[in-house]
């Protein structure tokens, strides 16, 4: 029997509807959550993501601002903008879209963001708190993946989760979250020998490497939960890191691309921003 689809679009819509009501209440009380998105350069995928974020903010009623800077922007100029946004009381969340043009050091840029406004959860302060198992801002995509698994009642504790990809954006923070939920976690990456030997043992398999259809049917244990974080732009359209058609025949659950993890990432960005606004007011929950 073909796997059940984990409908990220539907689950994200539910999250957004709930958030929208909360935003309306906060606005009536005089608090409008504000998100500042910074886009440097012309990366086509980044431009699409930023537009999606801008639209989501508008729909939910946030005060959003997008700062588009030219490709040749210097570090000093970008850091100056971040310092201004750090000091702006109407801005509760700051997101610098990655990747940055090569003359800019992403680590330095991320570290310039006030950790309290770091709605990506990429600042070492927040990443460190996550690794230590402390409440913190959780990066949007990993938080979205856990939310999606929970929405379908998929158990995590005691399961073997294999995360393919070790990025600071997805792989590493997701591994921390899965550990925090008592999964047994294996992290694989581009240098892993015999990747299939690991993926075949996964109860929950997450592919987040950006290699089109890397995960084939023979690499998946029958009955596994397969989460595809890949967004690869090919001439024939957007495909994930998983060979969806073939893997769907063996998995129990699978996320489609598009319409799987992506919508949850944006929903969690909204959630993180709302929580940052609440925390800035002197209270409010942090993390999942
Ligand atoms: N580039 C790809 N994903 C992300 C993300 O979640 N946040 C930021 N800032 N950049 C990204």
């Amino acid at each position: 029997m073909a796997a059940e689809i984990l409908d990220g679009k539907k689950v994200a819509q539910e999250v957004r509807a709930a958030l929208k009501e909360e935003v309306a209440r906060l606005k009536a009380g005089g608090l409008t959550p504000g998100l500042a998105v910074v886009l440097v350069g012309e990366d086509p995928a980044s431009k699409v993501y930023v537009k999606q974020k801008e639209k989501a903010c508008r729909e939910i009623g946030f005060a959003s601002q997008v700062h588009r800077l030219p490709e040749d922007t210097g570090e000093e100029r970008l850091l100056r903008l971040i310092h201004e946004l750090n000091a702006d009381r109407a801005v509760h969340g700051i997101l610098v879209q990655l990747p940055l043009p090569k003359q800019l050091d992403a680590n330095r840029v991320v570290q310039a963001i006030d950790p309290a406004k770091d709605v990506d959860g990429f600042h070492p302060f927040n990443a460190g708190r996550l690794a230590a198992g402390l409440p913190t801002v959780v990066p949007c995509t990993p938080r979205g993946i856990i939310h999606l698994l929970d929405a379908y009642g998929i158990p995590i504790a005691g399961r073997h989760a294999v995360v393919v990809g070790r990025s600071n954006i997805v792989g590493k923070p997701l591994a921390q979250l899965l550990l925090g939920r008592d999964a047994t976690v294996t992290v694989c990456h581009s240098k892993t020998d015999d990747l299939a030997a690991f993926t075949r043992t996964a109860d929950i398999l997450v592919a987040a490497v950006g290699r089109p259809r890397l995960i084939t049917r023979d690499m998946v244990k029958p009955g596994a939960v397969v989460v595809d974080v890949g967004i690869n732009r090919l001439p024939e359209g957007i495909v994930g890191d998983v060979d969806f058609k073939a893997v769907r025949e063996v998995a129990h659950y699978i996320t489609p691309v598009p319409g799987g993890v992506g919508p949850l990432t944006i929903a969690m960005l909204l959630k993180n921003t709302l929580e940052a606004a609440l925390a800035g007011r002197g209270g409010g929950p942090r993390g999942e």
Side-chain angles (χ1 to χ4, degrees):
M1 210 175 65
E4 185 176 341
I5 301 289
L6 295 172
D7 189 345
K9 204 168 157 188
K10 186 179 112 222
V11 174
Q13 267 160 4
E14 288 161 7
V15 172
R16 282 163 66 155
L19 289 175
K20 195 168 180 169
E21 284 181 18
E22 205 174 336
V23 172
R25 270 198 304 278
L26 289 178
K27 284 174 85 165
L31 176 65
T32 302
L35 176 67
V37 176
V38 181
L39 172 63
V40 187
E42 302 292 330
D43 181 81
S46 291
K47 280 162 102 170
V48 173
Y49 298 146
V50 167
K51 270 231 172 321
Q52 289 170 341
K53 290 169 184 175
E54 196 177 7
K55 184 164 165 262
C57 284
R58 203 171 40 238
E59 274 171 14
I60 204 175
F62 283 1
S64 79
Q65 30 177 293
V66 178
H67 299 264
R68 291 183 169 83
L69 302 180
E71 183 81 31
D72 62 356
T73 297
E75 193 165 289
E76 215 174 292
R77 167 78 189 91
L78 180 55
L79 293 181
R80 200 171 348 114
L81 171 61
I82 290 172
H83 291 142
E84 284 165 17
L85 297 171
N86 282 343
D88 186 339
R89 291 177 57 86
V91 172
H92 303 102
I94 301 169
L95 179 149
V96 178
Q97 187 66 31
L98 302 176
L100 288 169
K102 55 185 178 323
Q103 76 276 14
L104 296 167
D105 179 343
N107 282 321
R108 284 174 58 128
V109 171
V110 165
Q111 285 179 58
I113 298 171
D114 177 348
K117 297 190 177 189
D118 167 36
V119 284
D120 265 325
F122 294 166
H123 191 291
F125 178 84
N126 291 318
R129 287 184 65 89
L130 182 65
L134 298 169
T136 189
V137 189
V138 176
C140 306
T141 300
R143 191 177 185 187
I145 291 169
I146 299 292
H147 187 95
L148 188 59
L149 297 177
D150 285 346
Y152 280 84
I154 294 168
I156 298 174
R159 319 292 304 280
H160 183 205
V162 175
V163 179
V164 187
R166 55 176 157 176
S167 71
N168 290 338
I169 296 179
V170 183
K172 279 190 227 164
L174 178 61
Q176 300 292 357
L177 288 180
L178 289 164
L179 275 176
R181 293 287 296 268
D182 298 321
T184 301
V185 181
T186 301
V187 181
C188 300
H189 46 79
S190 55
K191 301 285 190 303
T192 297
D193 265 346
D194 196 1
L195 178 62
F198 292 95
T199 60
R200 267 190 223 115
T201 66
D203 302 308
I204 299 170
L205 175 60
V206 182
V209 273
R211 287 183 50 193
R213 302 190 191 104
L214 172 74
I215 305 297
T216 49
R217 180 180 170 140
D218 56 306
M219 296 169 76
V220 177
K221 179 163 91 172
V225 178
V226 179
V227 176
D228 190 352
V229 186
I231 301 177
N232 305 291
R233 288 174 166 77
L234 297 186
E236 68 261 36
I238 290 177
V239 302
D241 290 352
V242 175
D243 183 353
F244 179 83
K245 256 197 194 151
V247 170
R248 197 182 173 191
E249 298 305 314
V250 287
H252 184 179
Y253 289 102
I254 189 166
T255 62
V257 175
V261 173
L264 261 310
T265 295
I266 293 184
M268 293 301 134
L269 171 64
L270 299 173
K271 207 170 168 76
N272 280 352
T273 303
L274 185 82
E275 288 173 0
L278 286 170
R281 199 180 60 171
R286 273 301 163 102
E288 195 85 300

